[in-house]
Amino acid sequence: GKYEYLLVEKKGAKENVGLITLNRPKALNALCDGLMVELADVLDDFDKDEGIGCLVLTGSTRAFAAGADIKEMQDRTFQDVAGKNFLSAWSRLAANKKPVIAAVNGHALGGGCEIAMMCDIIYAGEKAKFGQPEILLGTIPGAGGTQRLPRVVGKSLAMELVLTGTSISAADALNAGLVSKVYPVDTVVDEAIKTAEKISSNSKMIVAMCKEAVNRSYENTLQEGLLFEKKIFYGTFATNDRKEGMTAFTEKRKANFTDS
Ligand code: HXC
């Protein structure tokens, strides 16, 4: 196929879900530069595909991703990483317009945990492990582990994870609010696809506006966020899909959204 490190498929009864499978099994899906560039490319392709409403990102049973590629980083200098755009492809996932659901089995460590946190929803298989072991390598998380993790799970657990490098189970991740559901290992991808199909059945335009509003809550004070939300809410009244949704309700039928 087009990609060395990814499998890319369309899923769901209406083929409206984009499934991206990290496919570098021998290295436990270590996130080398080439893989991250391919991921950015496929996200661009799916964003342009009007038939796709939501994405699912997954790995293998053994590893979602065991982090950035340590062998690739081993001999790099400060000048290499700071001066040569290392991590430039890593910001693409968090900026994705369409929602992304992470379906995590096995290890989600370091950069693997960080890319899961860049997704909008995380579902975990029962044997998933989440952690930020960078401290054991003499470095620190570099793609959100010190920023997104405390916002999601609170300071105490985040500090415990990043300062000790130990990982937590799927059950602990559920308890901490890092993931929203835990499923048996062999059903987590299908469950993520089912949720993605539900999201895809809504207006893609309104879904994007809603995702943007939720993400603002991580950037803003409450008052700024509420103001942003209200502007977007008012904005939905400029769309055909808002009119159609409310008309369909009063006519007791299913809405027929046109993404307009
Ligand atoms: C490169 C990796 C890798 C990684 C695993 N491999 N993780 N290669 N980078 N992050 C390779 C191993 O070298 C090995 O290849 C093969 O995958 C299988 O791994 P094993 O260690 O033999 O498997 P196992 O004993 O089952 O242990 C699994 C594991 C362990 C616990 C996940 O592999 C591990 O600790 N990996 C590193 C986890 C980590 O530190 N992640 C953070 C990276 S730093 P060979 O060829 O030797 O058999 C990071 C920073 C991000 O993510 C900052 C900004 C992006």
Side-chain angles (χ1 to χ4, degrees):
K2 190 175 167 190
Y3 299 107
E4 183 179 354
Y5 303 113
L6 307 176
L7 298 174
V8 179
E9 298 160 84
K10 292 184 184 181
K11 292 285 183 180
K14 295 182 178 162
E15 299 220 314
N16 54 11
V17 175
L19 175 63
I20 305 168
T21 305
L22 305 176
N23 186 32
R24 204 189 166 204
K26 283 191 189 127
L28 304 187
N29 292 329
L31 304 164
C32 58
D33 291 343
L35 186 153
M36 294 309 292
V37 168
E38 287 189 0
L39 181 61
D41 278 356
V42 73
L43 292 171
D44 284 345
D45 286 351
F46 275 138
D47 252 356
K48 280 181 223 138
D49 187 334
E50 289 178 9
I52 295 292
C54 188
L55 309 182
V56 173
L57 178 64
T58 194
S60 69
T61 307
R62 202 172 152 204
F64 178 72
D69 190 323
I70 301 167
K71 293 166 190 166
E72 201 175 64
M73 290 187 290
Q74 183 183 358
D75 294 324
R76 284 184 178 161
T77 63
F78 173 84
Q79 287 78 359
D80 290 332
V81 296
K84 291 181 186 161
N85 273 335
F86 173 49
L87 297 185
S88 62
W90 285 67
S91 52
R92 176 62 186 80
L93 177 59
N96 204 58
K97 216 171 158 75
K98 294 175 185 177
V100 186
I101 303 176
V104 176
N105 275 316
H107 301 286
L109 300 177
C113 186
E114 290 171 315
I115 64 167
M117 289 190 289
M118 289 178 201
C119 296
D120 302 296
I121 297 171
I122 309 178
Y123 285 177
E126 279 164 349
K127 292 185 180 152
K129 290 267 183 209
F130 296 85
Q132 299 287 160
E134 287 90 344
I135 201 83
L136 305 173
L137 301 167
T139 185
I140 76 165
T146 71
Q147 301 301 308
R148 291 196 177 93
L149 189 61
R151 279 169 166 79
V152 175
V153 306
K155 178 173 163 178
S156 180
L157 181 57
M159 281 290 192
E160 198 183 317
L161 290 176
V162 301
L163 298 182
T164 67
T166 54
S167 48
I168 56 171
S169 66
D172 289 341
L174 180 67
N175 190 40
L178 180 61
V179 310
S180 56
K181 296 263 174 46
V182 177
Y183 291 107
V185 171
D186 54 357
T187 64
V188 60
V189 175
D190 287 339
E191 294 292 345
I193 291 170
K194 275 190 225 164
T195 299
E197 284 185 274
K198 281 184 197 162
I199 292 170
S200 292
S201 72
N202 296 322
S203 164
K204 294 177 189 63
M205 188 176 50
I206 306 294
V207 164
M209 291 161 91
C210 194
K211 167 172 169 166
E212 204 183 346
V214 174
N215 278 335
R216 268 301 156 120
S217 72
Y218 288 96
E219 311 289 343
N220 270 333
T221 62
L222 180 61
Q223 282 312 315
E224 288 294 323
L226 291 170
L227 192 63
F228 186 85
E229 179 190 68
K230 201 167 303 181
K231 296 291 175 198
I232 300 258
F233 171 70
Y234 292 156
T236 65
F237 283 72
T239 70
N240 297 320
D241 283 342
R242 195 284 314 167
K243 177 80 173 155
E244 164 61 12
M246 293 188 182
T247 303
F249 175 83
T250 59
E251 293 177 357
K252 300 187 189 294
R253 61 173 175 83
K254 221 173 157 285
N256 180 22
F257 295 121
T258 53
D259 304 315
S260 66

